[in-house]
Amino acid sequence: MSREEEAGKLIEEDESTPTLDSDEASRALARVEQILEEDEDKAKALLKARGGEHEEARPITPEAAQELRDILEPLHPADIAWVLEALPLDDRLAVWNQVQSESDGDILLEVNEGVRETLIDAMDRDELVDAVETLDTDQIADLVDDLPPDVMAEVQEGLSHEERAQLRAAMSYPEESVGARMDFEMVSIREEVTVDMVLRYLRRFKTLPDHMDQIFVVDRLGRLKGTLSLVEMLTNDPAKQVKRIMQTEAFTLNPLDSASDAAQAFERYDLVSAAVVDEAGRLVGRLTVNEVVDVIREESEEDAFGAVGLDDEQDIYGSVWSSAKSRWLWLGVNLCTAFFASRVISAFDGTIERVVALAALMPIVAGMAGNSGNQTLTLLVRSLAMGQVTMANTIDIWKKEIGVAFINGILWGCIAGACAWALYWDSPQGMLLGCVMALAMFFNIIQGAVVGMAVPLILKRLGRDPAMGGSVLLTFTTDSGGFLIFLGLATIFFAH
């Protein structure tokens, strides 16, 4: 048997080799819910035996606790976080108490902010310190805003001088910048050394940094000179010097660069990691693909929730009162816009009384324009997020979207007008009704495109999230404006 075949057999026989099972977390959640449900009556009896005293987490029997630990132990921290997010508060805290303490820090990083608050509130000071101390400095920086000051003070006391400097650096950068996302764990070498020396240097590490696809080459002052990919290092003569095979034109980022822009660069160039250098060219960290994936996911969630005025970091099982308050702003805006639309309709009571069919046709005009406008809005928000909309091409995008709306307005206006005429063909007003429907549909679809373009561009200019409340504002315009156009045209056409 050849060496390659022997190696392949060893890999196949290695039971510790991880396998991808996308349903593992779902099965774990279902089993956890089943255990908690079956244990509920026993838990109530246990609570009664304890005198009915209030506890932060509901009590569970030792048998159920052991079952939960057996389920949670093999799971990845991200899967445990997903399970915790899916559980009501009491069940969540009961399960949280069964999690192995060495995983606490990683799980706190994975859950959203709303759930993180409930977990941190359930932990005492020593538990929090122990959990945070297992994390790297860049990970600790992600939790700073959620941790009590005394906990952070004790954690910083346990850090080395270099780690404290790294933590201060990570905390000093804006939240959405590359600096706030970069990893301080990296391997750097000098260009004078040989490949063999690099290999011997790497063997001294107990573990290598995650997602390490390249080694950074620096000078005596720490300035980046180039990069050495692992592929080049492993396929070249060990006696060669690094400077002969390193890549000198390396892609780099600045700590103050936007994390969103960096994510687009990672996608465009298929990067796994990238060097982060300061203004003086010194290597200060690296950005890795796992952080980039988080950036893309967070932005996607922000856009989806922001479009309807929701906070993407809410806990689905959070306080009813706080959840209700967080939705008041856009519900209030929506109520005002609805009343405005009703006043538009009431201004044409006389016209509606003369032509009752108008009341049945109004929602069609508003709905079609709203859908068309949402298509424009979604396309533009995505293009803004990708950085594809600039001052130079904005006019061209306006022309294109208005042109699309013009064609769709004519096409669907004619179809809607014909349908209205067909529905009321036996009425002497049927043909006029069809003409009103066609014109109203045409003008309202164009209006929807204009608003779908204008809202995100204005929000972007004001420094706000282009997706924030866009759907609410668009619906208001296509409803109120559509009713005004439709009933206004009807008033003109049916004046005599």
Side-chain angles (χ1 to χ4, degrees):
M1 183 181 293
S2 67
R3 291 184 179 179
E4 290 80 1
E5 290 173 337
E6 290 178 357
K9 186 176 180 182
L10 286 173
I11 291 173
E12 290 176 0
E13 293 176 352
D14 184 5
E15 295 181 356
S16 65
T17 302
T19 58
L20 179 63
D21 187 352
S22 59
D23 293 330
E24 185 177 5
S26 298
R27 288 198 299 270
L29 173 60
R31 183 64 184 134
V32 165
E33 290 175 330
Q34 181 183 1
I35 292 171
L36 292 173
E37 183 178 357
E38 292 173 351
D39 192 61
E40 186 173 4
D41 291 337
K42 297 178 182 178
K44 288 179 180 179
L46 180 60
L47 181 61
K48 186 176 180 179
R50 292 180 178 178
E53 60 198 44
H54 175 72
E55 298 189 11
E56 288 188 1
R58 76 174 214 188
I60 57 177
T61 61
E63 296 80 7
Q66 184 59 51
E67 284 189 82
L68 290 174
R69 286 193 289 270
D70 291 341
I71 294 171
L72 297 172
E73 184 177 358
L75 292 181
H76 188 277
D79 290 332
I80 299 176
W82 184 83
V83 170
L84 292 170
E85 289 178 349
L87 293 173
L89 182 58
D90 289 342
D91 290 347
R92 178 188 301 157
L93 296 180
V95 173
W96 178 236
N97 288 336
Q98 311 310 318
V99 175
Q100 293 183 349
S101 59
E102 60 266 23
S103 301
D104 287 356
D106 293 321
I107 295 170
L108 289 175
L109 284 171
E110 295 290 345
V111 295
N112 69 44
E113 290 184 12
V115 174
R116 187 183 301 149
E117 289 178 6
T118 65
L119 300 182
I120 288 177
D121 289 343
M123 300 173 72
D124 61 36
R125 186 172 182 275
D126 292 336
E127 287 177 329
L128 275 173
V129 171
D130 291 341
V132 176
E133 284 181 340
T134 64
L135 302 176
D136 297 329
T137 50
D138 58 302
Q139 296 174 321
I140 296 174
D142 293 336
L143 296 178
V144 166
D145 293 336
D146 300 306
L147 296 173
D150 59 326
V151 171
M152 275 305 305
E154 184 169 344
V155 169
Q156 290 186 35
E157 288 179 5
L159 299 176
S160 66
H161 178 74
E162 181 184 6
E163 289 173 332
R164 282 198 294 269
Q166 291 175 348
L167 180 59
R168 286 194 297 270
M171 293 168 56
S172 67
Y173 295 114
E175 184 178 356
E176 300 302 324
S177 68
V178 168
R181 299 275 187 170
M182 68 181 177
D183 185 1
F184 294 102
E185 275 195 72
M186 54 191 170
V187 177
S188 60
I189 56 175
R190 300 281 292 281
E191 62 182 347
E192 297 86 4
V193 300
T194 64
V195 171
D196 181 58
M197 294 171 66
V198 176
L199 289 170
R200 283 189 279 125
Y201 173 59
L202 292 179
R203 293 190 190 102
R204 294 166 55 188
F205 287 83
K206 292 183 179 179
T207 58
L208 293 175
D210 293 334
H211 307 286
M212 192 185 84
D213 66 320
Q214 58 184 343
I215 299 172
F216 303 112
V217 183
V218 298
D219 63 13
R220 294 179 182 276
L221 299 178
R223 291 178 300 212
L224 184 69
K225 303 290 288 185
T227 60
L228 175 64
S229 72
L230 297 187
V231 173
E232 289 290 335
M233 182 180 66
L234 295 173
T235 57
N236 271 281
D237 183 354
K240 276 189 178 180
Q241 283 189 309
V242 167
K243 64 181 177 182
R244 294 178 57 191
I245 59 175
M246 72 179 188
Q247 178 69 37
T248 56
E249 298 296 328
F251 175 81
T252 62
L253 295 165
N254 185 278
L256 295 177
D257 287 342
S258 164
S260 177
D261 293 342
Q264 293 171 30
F266 266 67
E267 183 205 7
R268 189 179 306 123
Y269 304 125
D270 296 325
L271 301 175
V272 175
S273 67
V276 182
V277 299
D278 61 16
E279 288 75 6
R282 291 187 297 268
L283 180 67
V284 294
R286 66 183 182 123
L287 187 66
T288 55
V289 68
N290 61 323
E291 282 294 334
V292 168
V293 171
D294 287 342
V295 170
I296 295 172
R297 175 184 55 81
E298 290 167 10
E299 288 187 343
S300 176
E301 290 177 353
E302 286 176 5
D303 289 345
F305 284 96
V308 291
L310 285 177
D311 179 5
D312 62 302
E313 292 295 348
Q314 284 192 53
D315 179 3
I316 192 173
Y317 293 110
S319 162
V320 173
W321 179 248
S322 61
S323 296
K325 287 195 299 183
S326 70
R327 304 181 191 187
W328 284 353
L329 173 61
W330 288 104
L331 287 176
V333 171
N334 200 32
L335 180 63
C336 294
T337 60
F339 269 112
F340 186 86
S342 72
R343 297 311 301 164
V344 171
I345 296 172
S346 65
F348 296 94
D349 284 343
T351 304
I352 296 175
E353 287 175 3
R354 291 199 304 273
V355 187
V356 180
L358 294 172
L361 297 174
M362 280 192 303
I364 300 175
V365 175
M368 283 291 291
N371 187 40
S372 175
N374 265 315
Q375 291 173 343
T376 301
L377 178 71
T378 302
L379 178 65
L380 188 62
V381 168
R382 178 189 176 279
S383 298
L384 285 169
M386 297 292 291
Q388 296 171 334
V389 179
T390 63
M391 291 292 293
N393 64 18
T394 301
I395 299 299
D396 293 328
I397 297 174
W398 271 102
K399 291 178 180 178
K400 180 254 185 178
E401 286 302 316
I402 297 301
V404 171
F406 188 87
I407 293 173
N408 283 336
I410 293 176
L411 174 63
W412 295 105
C414 291
I415 293 174
C419 291
W421 188 0
L423 285 173
Y424 300 98
W425 65 272
D426 56 345
S427 169
Q429 300 169 326
M431 186 172 68
L432 283 179
L433 201 56
C435 292
V436 170
M437 187 71 174
L439 286 173
M441 185 75 74
F442 171 75
F443 287 122
N444 206 21
I445 284 179
I446 291 180
Q447 177 184 237
V450 171
V451 175
M453 284 285 296
V455 168
L457 288 174
I458 292 173
L459 289 174
K460 181 74 172 179
R461 181 65 62 87
L462 295 176
R464 307 297 298 275
D465 182 359
M468 180 59 70
S471 293
V472 177
L473 296 174
L474 179 65
T475 300
F476 158 64
T477 308
T478 53
D479 282 357
S480 301
F483 296 154
L484 180 62
I485 292 170
F486 184 55
L487 296 176
L489 289 171
T491 302
I492 295 172
F493 273 69
F494 296 107
H496 301 291

